[in-house]
Amino acid sequence: MNENLTIIDIARMAGVSKSTVSRVLNNEPRVKPETKEAVLKVIEESGYFPSEVARTLVKSKSKLVGLITPFQCRSFYRNELFRDAFTGLTQVLKTYDYDIITSSGSGVELDTIQKFVRTYHVCGVILLYTIPDDPSLHYLLENHVPFSVIGACEGFTGINQVTYDYQAAMVEIVDSLLEQNRTRIAFFASDTGLSTTRSYIEGYRTGLERRGMPVLEKYLLDGMEEEQAIYSALRRYQHTHTMPDAIIASDDIICCHLLRFCQEEKIRIPEDMALFSLENGPVNEAVGISCINLDYIRMGNLAGKMLIDTVEHGQTTRIQLNHQLLHRRSSQKSS
Amino acid sequence: MNENLTIIDIARMAGVSKSTVSRVLNNEPRVKPETKEAVLKVIEESGYFPSEVARTLVKSKSKLVGLITPFQCRSFYRNELFRDAFTGLTQVLKTYDYDIITSSGSGVELDTIQKFVRTYHVCGVILLYTIPDDPSLHYLLENHVPFSVIGACEGFTGINQVTYDYQAAMVEIVDSLLEQNRTRIAFFASDTGLSTTRSYIEGYRTGLERRGMPVLEKYLLDGMEEEQAIYSALRRYQHTHTMPDAIIASDDIICCHLLRFCQEEKIRIPEDMALFSLENGPVNEAVGISCINLDYIRMGNLAGKMLIDTVEHGQTTRIQLNHQLLHRRSSQKSS
DNA sequence: TTGAAAGCGCTAACAG
DNA sequence: CTGTTAGCGCTTTCAA
């Protein structure tokens, strides 16, 4: 009920010292059961909430997990990874009584991380993406800040990571497309700087080269999170009569645009064009788009659990989940 | 560079007292320019970060905005509102140097809010949904905690709110459907307890009754965020030969399921069935689903700005944005 | 098993 | 314009 109760108020009301109250709050063993009960009763009845802020100040470690999200990049928030990983993370953190802080950053991830660590004393950090040899990771490692990476992570080992074998998955996709005698397979990627995307690209190359197919620049495109980029690429193909007969898209939104373009231009799916999404959003099933069944919610769950394990027990884990291709209408055999 | 610098270290390095450092940190006017510059230089060079935690403790007010998200409700995180409002909020908070804390709650929103307020001393709260006479709002009001509501909010006035006229929008949708001589118009709602949904329902009723059409229970369904609920409703219609000739869906995911069902069952859109989504996600445009053009990013922006205005200047604002119907293929005239 | 006292890093009077 | 001092609410030695 009451407003700004402090540990001292509780101590007074229970007739003990604030140290004792602190002890029961922290569930320390060296408290007489009866005392503990009495204190607990007072806490219960008074509606007292201990200040996480004060606790953080003295321990210089909070129960906040920093979630790094990019600066000024709408497309990121629109993809499945963000919301599903967020959901998974939220679920598991709730269980362990941690909370999430997301910062609105200043353009550079490292700044955000430093802010998390130095000004908010986060107990750990979750990274939804990394770049090769990521400076953020070096910072976290040097400063012994626990963290978990979701997705590929070039250049680091012995860290918390939950990932898929993106490269292998991509090879399988390319293979399945080649088996249908598709010869102009494009990859509309959305951020080729990220390690995860690089893995996909590696798989794309490998898949093609293994079958003796050339890797053409015009079919391996970056920056396709921009609507404009998609349509201008498509127009270019039209003008040069080099329209792909299969497109692999980094995310579902790109797929939606492709779908729309094909409808307008009377390009039949899958006869004239196969579509494959690297995300598994709700659209795909409804509209029959083939994709990989990456479980981002699970990744969020696991990444959160790993982080807590590091924070509380110093453990480090790496998990590689198994992927699976979901072949749907959009990538059926055309001829 | 260095690790755990405090204000005292900076004071020593700059040859002043920590109060002075504090003053330049808080940009107080009463500091000699040269002193200020010297201190700033030391801060810059040392890589010092002031502790937001300590500051919060003494001011009992942080620069954290609490974002309430529901407990164990995946569908929520999957809808457009969450990610777009989050994006918009993030954008504006960045500008004013605030951050977001999201809590993983304990099942009841009020608990989460109390935790925000009492243990983290958030400077304000953003609500993405409310129920009529919401206890959370009463708590916030009573405790003078600044907050902004996104969406409808029954039972409260004089609060920060950014909303649309959901009821009017729904009337327009129903009208446009009736004009096409659709006579079995269903509304697949996703959470009829929320004020926003209630506004829509109000509009649904009004729209039908105005034209002398009955409001049938079987066509006004709740809980449709569950995939199962959607399909069982649809099956029921089939068995009783009462399949609607128009369905208005609370969100895009419901729409996707409807789309899928119609494809499988050879129900033609829009000939046999019109579809209208109450969200404006990326799918709609691609697949040609009619919808309202609600701008959730803008709502997030505005709600954040309002909150900051309240926190910093005690202002209160209510904004009702203008909606617009986006008529696409899924709701074209059938006959 | 408990209490007293000393901080954690910062802000905010109050003097000077 | 600047320094001194007293806390903010909590944890954590150290004694008792």
Side-chain angles (χ1 to χ4, degrees), chain B residues 127-280:
Chain B
L127 295 153
L128 296 177
Y129 50 87
T130 58
I131 60 176
D133 211 40
D134 203 310
S136 300
L137 290 197
H138 281 122
Y139 175 84
L140 292 168
L141 250 12
E142 277 165 23
N143 291 273
H144 307 100
V145 180
F147 65 93
S148 297
V149 172
I150 291 181
C153 184
E154 272 178 82
F156 296 88
T157 53
I159 62 172
N160 285 323
Q161 183 188 11
V162 46
T163 187
Y164 281 93
D165 189 339
Y166 300 103
Q167 184 177 340
M170 183 58 112
V171 169
E172 288 174 33
I173 294 174
V174 170
D175 262 357
S176 79
L177 259 13
L178 286 173
E179 268 168 27
Q180 301 179 2
N181 297 315
R182 313 248 179 203
T183 53
R184 302 182 303 281
I185 302 174
F187 178 19
F188 281 20
S190 79
D191 200 333
T192 51
L194 306 184
S195 292
T196 298
T197 312
R198 289 166 56 94
S199 290
Y200 278 129
I201 292 178
E202 208 40 47
Y204 175 74
R205 291 185 188 284
T206 310
L208 287 176
E209 285 167 359
R210 249 188 221 166
R211 305 286 202 104
M213 301 287 291
V215 177
L216 302 176
E217 262 190 43
K218 68 179 170 202
Y219 289 146
L220 177 47
L221 266 27
D222 187 17
M224 303 312 271
E225 67 275 8
E226 292 297 332
E227 191 173 330
Q228 243 188 340
I230 300 173
Y231 289 100
S232 73
L234 260 11
R235 298 280 171 221
R236 215 177 311 126
Y237 293 139
Q238 278 187 319
H239 291 154
T240 55
H241 303 286
T242 53
M243 186 61 70
D245 53 12
I247 298 181
I248 303 161
S250 257
D251 63 55
D252 287 355
I253 301 192
I254 298 178
C255 263
C256 285
H257 287 297
L258 295 176
L259 222 49
R260 183 183 166 201
F261 179 86
C262 289
Q263 272 182 352
E264 285 170 0
E265 302 295 322
K266 311 282 181 220
I267 297 173
R268 294 165 307 163
I269 295 174
E271 291 83 354
D272 309 326
M273 167 90 81
L275 237 48
F276 228 107
S277 175
L278 299 180
E279 283 194 330
N280 184 17

Side-chain angles (χ1 to χ4, degrees), chain A residues 256 283 287, chain B residues 80 252 256 259 280-289 328:
Chain A
C256 285
V283 204
V287 212
Chain B
E80 297 297 315
D252 287 355
C256 285
L259 222 49
N280 184 17
V283 203
N284 294 334
E285 194 173 2
V287 211
I289 297 177
R328 294 200 259 244

Side-chain angles (χ1 to χ4, degrees), chain A residues 6-7 18 22 26 48 50-51 55:
Chain A
T6 77
I7 201 172
K18 61 175 184 172
S22 173
N26 291 283
Y48 161 74
S51 162
R55 181 178 285 165

